[in-house]
Amino acid sequence: MTVSREVELSGHIIDSGMMQTCFGIVMDMGGSFSVEEFDIGRHKEDESYARLLVEADDPEHLQSIIHELHQNGANPADPKDATLEPAPADQVVPHGFYSTTNHPTYVRYDGEWVGVENIEMDCAVVVEDGAEPRAYTKVLNAVEEGDRIVTGDTGIKVEPPERPRDSGGAFGFMQGGVSSERPSESTIEKIANAIEETKKEGGKVLAVCGPALIHSGAREELARLVREGYVDMLSAGNGFAVHDIERDLYGTSLGVDTETLDHARHGHKHHIYTISEVIREGSIPEAVESGTIESGVMYECVENDRPFVLAGSIRDDGPLPDTITDAVEAQNAIREQAHEADMVLMLSTLLHSVAVGNCLPSTTRVVCVDINPATVTQLLDRGSAQAVGMVTDIGTFVPMLAEKLVAEEE
């Protein structure tokens, strides 16, 4: 005896590959399906619709298939209200709680669909009653006793971003995946256009930066982008800020002159001397105000009121007074930035990019640049539908990007 359930797909389900993906899920998981209704959009702006009858051997098997389909945008044809259970204690969620994807998500409550605020992956969904009910995400360590948590998959609608036939415009290219074959100059020009369009729309650009950017000699060009307003926020680690300031104080990055590539005498001590000088001043802003720091990315962030988050790690020297050493506090600061960002530049840092990427909805525009193809692939595979990856030297990318953006103004 088999059990079955109807699911629906709607939107640009053919161009985006959603329909093919859902077919594959059912077959790979040992179920079967039949297409009961299929309406194809006949113009590039038209959407398509399909209704499938999914069958499996038993209720548990069917539920596992429906769960996977749901994560990829297929929703039950007979939606019911979501199941809510109170959190039994602080930081404790009910068994079987719904764990979010990073796609736009809706919760059915009192017969109405309520959009989930601040969507990001691997969170619980809390529903608040009221004249206008609210649904929003909470990380597990923020759950409070009594929070009404969504459990199971009932009453949940997920809408993965689609890829319509018309992929033109400033952001149309940001669906092409990873390539080292693509002409760099052409791609960088398109990225510059996307940044300009984001700014015209009133959006914010977040740069996630690794120390390699400083080591490779791209420091001055990134500082220009901050100064000219093309970068609104910065997320990095202790090492990035240390080597940026070291370049200002001693002309080196990790003891090496980034212009001549000469190893400075006692250069291996420069980074720890840098940390000492900033600690002596009290903070990076205070060191800028006193004139101790006179140039660089951190200098421009302070001078132009661009907020930055420096998240620490177990490997850090010092660290700098501005570095957040509490992991949960750092995650919360990163999360706040990520929710404000409309476009993110992930520049040669795997770990910090993963931390930021975990907090981003799949609709946020993402550019990832790294010399290591595996890094770019890993970051883009985390789920952004509007993303482009470039396998190239960060020391080449940032100056070319700055030239495209600010050359005409100077």
Side-chain angles (χ1 to χ4, degrees), residues 223 226-228 299-306:
V226 174
R227 182 170 61 251
E228 299 296 332
Y299 171 85
E300 297 294 349
C301 284
V302 173
E303 284 290 283
N304 295 281
D305 197 27
R306 315 279 190 238

Side-chain angles (χ1 to χ4, degrees), residues 198-220:
T198 298
K199 299 301 297 179
K200 287 178 182 178
E201 294 174 352
K204 293 184 178 181
V205 178
L206 168 63
V208 186
C209 306
L213 191 149
I214 306 298
H215 304 332
S216 65
R219 168 182 179 264
E220 282 67 30

